[in-house]
Amino acid sequence: MLPDYPGRLRKLKESLKKKNLKFFLTEDPANRLYLTGFTGSTGWVLVSEDGVTLFVDSRYTELAQNQSPPVKVNQIDTPFDSFWESYSRSFEGERVGYESHKITHRQVLELRDRSRAAKLNLVSTQGVIEKVRSVKDPYEIAQIQKSVDIADRAFAKLLVAIKPGQTEIEIAWLLEKLIREEGAERVAWHPFIVAVGANSSMPHYHPGKAQLQKQDMLQLDFGAVVNGYCSDISRVVFMGKPTADQRKVYQVVWDAQESAMRRIHPGAKSKEVDAAAREVVEKAGYKPYGHGLSHGIGLEVHELPSVSLRSTDVLQEGNVISVEPGIYIPGWGGIRIEDLVLVTKSGCETLTKSPKDISKVTI
């Protein structure tokens, strides 16, 4: 199975047509990869009625030609803004969309200055390609599943490898190593969240020198990357028999996750899915998590749609999203459980297979 570049371009052009844009510029790495397959660190992409053109310097010409057969590769030997001044005269007077949320104010000023000769109308946009990317095609779903499978296998091996006395940093490195050994091209982010005991009350904690002890709980948040596509999983591991309080909080979080999953289907309002999880947490007498319930995932760990109380996004078939409620109690610790799900015609399919039953995550 290969990426459907023509299909992606077709969907993007439909979106651009609604905005009356014949031309569109991006240099965002994920959007560039989505449209061209090019993995180099720099390059501009121009979308037009004629197709997609990738502009790179001489360092990347051969790589771009090898990776991006569906697009025209144009080598430029001057800074892009200088090149753009002469190149843009070929479509004088046209409306050209650019990503105001992806480039700096200085870049905007330079583009405007270099576009004056061609009398271009530069149009600020946000999230145009990201909205197209939010609905995954079969190739993308397959890559995300491969990435999830690698993370699942790594977690299974971690469960038999972690021991009391290991530090958070050591466990984070071990998990990264296992993910690499299972076939990932890289990890989804660095460092992984590895939090021992009370440290787990900080949702985005960075691992330190705290040592894992008997009766500790260990919060993990990790992911792999396969062919550019990410996974994202959170699990809690118990070192010894969980206490009554740990069991109670864990079950509430799991119940909250399942409540949210039952609300997931095409047409569901994101804020209502989030509210379904929060309601379970609040009814159990705990303070709801401060972050959103969910985010899309794909070429980036955090993509559209956003699932939170403030989100206006509506779920669509083909979205791949996380579901990650949590309870965080300063001085005691935190518990977050996260799975990835695919929004299907009738509801959702869970892609993550790592165990959640408390007996299977107790060492």
Side-chain angles (χ1 to χ4, degrees), residues 147-160:
S147 182
V148 171
D149 291 345
I150 284 174
D152 280 339
R153 293 197 300 269
F155 178 66
K157 290 185 176 182
L158 183 76
L159 287 175
V160 298

PDB file of all heavy atoms in Angstrom, residues 147-160:
ATOM      1  N   SER A 147       2.654   1.646  14.068  1.00  0.00           N
ATOM      2  CA  SER A 147       3.323   2.404  15.128  1.00  0.00           C
ATOM      3  C   SER A 147       2.783   2.023  16.498  1.00  0.00           C
ATOM      4  O   SER A 147       3.541   1.850  17.467  1.00  0.00           O
ATOM      5  CB  SER A 147       3.132   3.907  14.874  1.00  0.00           C
ATOM      6  OG  SER A 147       3.794   4.672  15.847  1.00  0.00           O
ATOM      7  N   VAL A 148       1.466   1.864  16.587  1.00  0.00           N
ATOM      8  CA  VAL A 148       0.837   1.433  17.839  1.00  0.00           C
ATOM      9  C   VAL A 148       1.313   0.038  18.222  1.00  0.00           C
ATOM     10  O   VAL A 148       1.643  -0.234  19.389  1.00  0.00           O
ATOM     11  CB  VAL A 148      -0.696   1.460  17.714  1.00  0.00           C
ATOM     12  CG1 VAL A 148      -1.350   0.792  18.929  1.00  0.00           C
ATOM     13  CG2 VAL A 148      -1.205   2.886  17.577  1.00  0.00           C
ATOM     14  N   ASP A 149       1.374  -0.856  17.244  1.00  0.00           N
ATOM     15  CA  ASP A 149       1.796  -2.235  17.515  1.00  0.00           C
ATOM     16  C   ASP A 149       3.211  -2.280  18.079  1.00  0.00           C
ATOM     17  O   ASP A 149       3.513  -3.074  18.988  1.00  0.00           O
ATOM     18  CB  ASP A 149       1.717  -3.075  16.234  1.00  0.00           C
ATOM     19  CG  ASP A 149       0.289  -3.310  15.771  1.00  0.00           C
ATOM     20  OD1 ASP A 149      -0.649  -3.080  16.561  1.00  0.00           O
ATOM     21  OD2 ASP A 149       0.114  -3.718  14.602  1.00  0.00           O
ATOM     22  N   ILE A 150       4.094  -1.449  17.531  1.00  0.00           N
ATOM     23  CA  ILE A 150       5.472  -1.397  18.035  1.00  0.00           C
ATOM     24  C   ILE A 150       5.479  -0.927  19.487  1.00  0.00           C
ATOM     25  O   ILE A 150       6.175  -1.506  20.338  1.00  0.00           O
ATOM     26  CB  ILE A 150       6.334  -0.478  17.146  1.00  0.00           C
ATOM     27  CG1 ILE A 150       6.687  -1.202  15.845  1.00  0.00           C
ATOM     28  CG2 ILE A 150       7.601  -0.031  17.871  1.00  0.00           C
ATOM     29  CD1 ILE A 150       7.417  -0.340  14.841  1.00  0.00           C
ATOM     30  N   ALA A 151       4.726   0.119  19.773  1.00  0.00           N
ATOM     31  CA  ALA A 151       4.668   0.622  21.151  1.00  0.00           C
ATOM     32  C   ALA A 151       4.073  -0.425  22.094  1.00  0.00           C
ATOM     33  O   ALA A 151       4.529  -0.589  23.228  1.00  0.00           O
ATOM     34  CB  ALA A 151       3.858   1.914  21.200  1.00  0.00           C
ATOM     35  N   ASP A 152       3.052  -1.141  21.626  1.00  0.00           N
ATOM     36  CA  ASP A 152       2.454  -2.211  22.437  1.00  0.00           C
ATOM     37  C   ASP A 152       3.481  -3.301  22.766  1.00  0.00           C
ATOM     38  O   ASP A 152       3.576  -3.768  23.910  1.00  0.00           O
ATOM     39  CB  ASP A 152       1.275  -2.839  21.692  1.00  0.00           C
ATOM     40  CG  ASP A 152      -0.008  -2.021  21.784  1.00  0.00           C
ATOM     41  OD1 ASP A 152      -0.128  -1.212  22.714  1.00  0.00           O
ATOM     42  OD2 ASP A 152      -0.889  -2.224  20.924  1.00  0.00           O
ATOM     43  N   ARG A 153       4.240  -3.709  21.751  1.00  0.00           N
ATOM     44  CA  ARG A 153       5.232  -4.769  21.975  1.00  0.00           C
ATOM     45  C   ARG A 153       6.332  -4.294  22.921  1.00  0.00           C
ATOM     46  O   ARG A 153       6.803  -5.061  23.779  1.00  0.00           O
ATOM     47  CB  ARG A 153       5.838  -5.224  20.635  1.00  0.00           C
ATOM     48  CG  ARG A 153       4.849  -5.922  19.722  1.00  0.00           C
ATOM     49  CD  ARG A 153       5.566  -6.699  18.619  1.00  0.00           C
ATOM     50  NE  ARG A 153       6.394  -5.854  17.766  1.00  0.00           N
ATOM     51  CZ  ARG A 153       5.980  -5.278  16.651  1.00  0.00           C
ATOM     52  NH1 ARG A 153       4.718  -5.407  16.262  1.00  0.00           N
ATOM     53  NH2 ARG A 153       6.816  -4.562  15.913  1.00  0.00           N
ATOM     54  N   ALA A 154       6.729  -3.056  22.776  1.00  0.00           N
ATOM     55  CA  ALA A 154       7.755  -2.504  23.663  1.00  0.00           C
ATOM     56  C   ALA A 154       7.264  -2.465  25.104  1.00  0.00           C
ATOM     57  O   ALA A 154       8.009  -2.787  26.041  1.00  0.00           O
ATOM     58  CB  ALA A 154       8.162  -1.105  23.193  1.00  0.00           C
ATOM     59  N   PHE A 155       6.003  -2.091  25.296  1.00  0.00           N
ATOM     60  CA  PHE A 155       5.446  -2.045  26.647  1.00  0.00           C
ATOM     61  C   PHE A 155       5.403  -3.441  27.263  1.00  0.00           C
ATOM     62  O   PHE A 155       5.713  -3.621  28.447  1.00  0.00           O
ATOM     63  CB  PHE A 155       4.046  -1.435  26.620  1.00  0.00           C
ATOM     64  CG  PHE A 155       3.372  -1.383  27.968  1.00  0.00           C
ATOM     65  CD1 PHE A 155       3.879  -0.580  28.985  1.00  0.00           C
ATOM     66  CD2 PHE A 155       2.248  -2.150  28.225  1.00  0.00           C
ATOM     67  CE1 PHE A 155       3.260  -0.540  30.230  1.00  0.00           C
ATOM     68  CE2 PHE A 155       1.624  -2.113  29.457  1.00  0.00           C
ATOM     69  CZ  PHE A 155       2.141  -1.305  30.463  1.00  0.00           C
ATOM     70  N   ALA A 156       5.043  -4.424  26.467  1.00  0.00           N
ATOM     71  CA  ALA A 156       4.996  -5.806  26.975  1.00  0.00           C
ATOM     72  C   ALA A 156       6.377  -6.244  27.456  1.00  0.00           C
ATOM     73  O   ALA A 156       6.501  -6.910  28.500  1.00  0.00           O
ATOM     74  CB  ALA A 156       4.482  -6.748  25.889  1.00  0.00           C
ATOM     75  N   LYS A 157       7.417  -5.874  26.732  1.00  0.00           N
ATOM     76  CA  LYS A 157       8.777  -6.233  27.139  1.00  0.00           C
ATOM     77  C   LYS A 157       9.226  -5.417  28.348  1.00  0.00           C
ATOM     78  O   LYS A 157       9.985  -5.917  29.191  1.00  0.00           O
ATOM     79  CB  LYS A 157       9.735  -6.042  25.968  1.00  0.00           C
ATOM     80  CG  LYS A 157       9.527  -7.052  24.857  1.00  0.00           C
ATOM     81  CD  LYS A 157      10.576  -6.917  23.759  1.00  0.00           C
ATOM     82  CE  LYS A 157      10.412  -8.002  22.715  1.00  0.00           C
ATOM     83  NZ  LYS A 157      11.444  -7.928  21.645  1.00  0.00           N
ATOM     84  N   LEU A 158       8.750  -4.188  28.429  1.00  0.00           N
ATOM     85  CA  LEU A 158       9.118  -3.340  29.570  1.00  0.00           C
ATOM     86  C   LEU A 158       8.585  -3.922  30.873  1.00  0.00           C
ATOM     87  O   LEU A 158       9.251  -3.865  31.918  1.00  0.00           O
ATOM     88  CB  LEU A 158       8.586  -1.923  29.376  1.00  0.00           C
ATOM     89  CG  LEU A 158       8.972  -0.919  30.462  1.00  0.00           C
ATOM     90  CD1 LEU A 158      10.430  -0.493  30.295  1.00  0.00           C
ATOM     91  CD2 LEU A 158       8.067   0.313  30.420  1.00  0.00           C
ATOM     92  N   LEU A 159       7.387  -4.504  30.818  1.00  0.00           N
ATOM     93  CA  LEU A 159       6.770  -5.036  32.027  1.00  0.00           C
ATOM     94  C   LEU A 159       7.612  -6.117  32.698  1.00  0.00           C
ATOM     95  O   LEU A 159       7.516  -6.308  33.913  1.00  0.00           O
ATOM     96  CB  LEU A 159       5.372  -5.596  31.702  1.00  0.00           C
ATOM     97  CG  LEU A 159       4.269  -4.579  31.432  1.00  0.00           C
ATOM     98  CD1 LEU A 159       2.994  -5.276  31.018  1.00  0.00           C
ATOM     99  CD2 LEU A 159       4.021  -3.699  32.662  1.00  0.00           C
ATOM    100  N   VAL A 160       8.426  -6.818  31.916  1.00  0.00           N
ATOM    101  CA  VAL A 160       9.268  -7.864  32.504  1.00  0.00           C
ATOM    102  C   VAL A 160      10.698  -7.375  32.730  1.00  0.00           C
ATOM    103  O   VAL A 160      11.536  -8.131  33.231  1.00  0.00           O
ATOM    104  CB  VAL A 160       9.284  -9.130  31.625  1.00  0.00           C
ATOM    105  CG1 VAL A 160       7.886  -9.711  31.509  1.00  0.00           C
ATOM    106  CG2 VAL A 160       9.844  -8.833  30.237  1.00  0.00           C
TER     107      VAL A 160
END
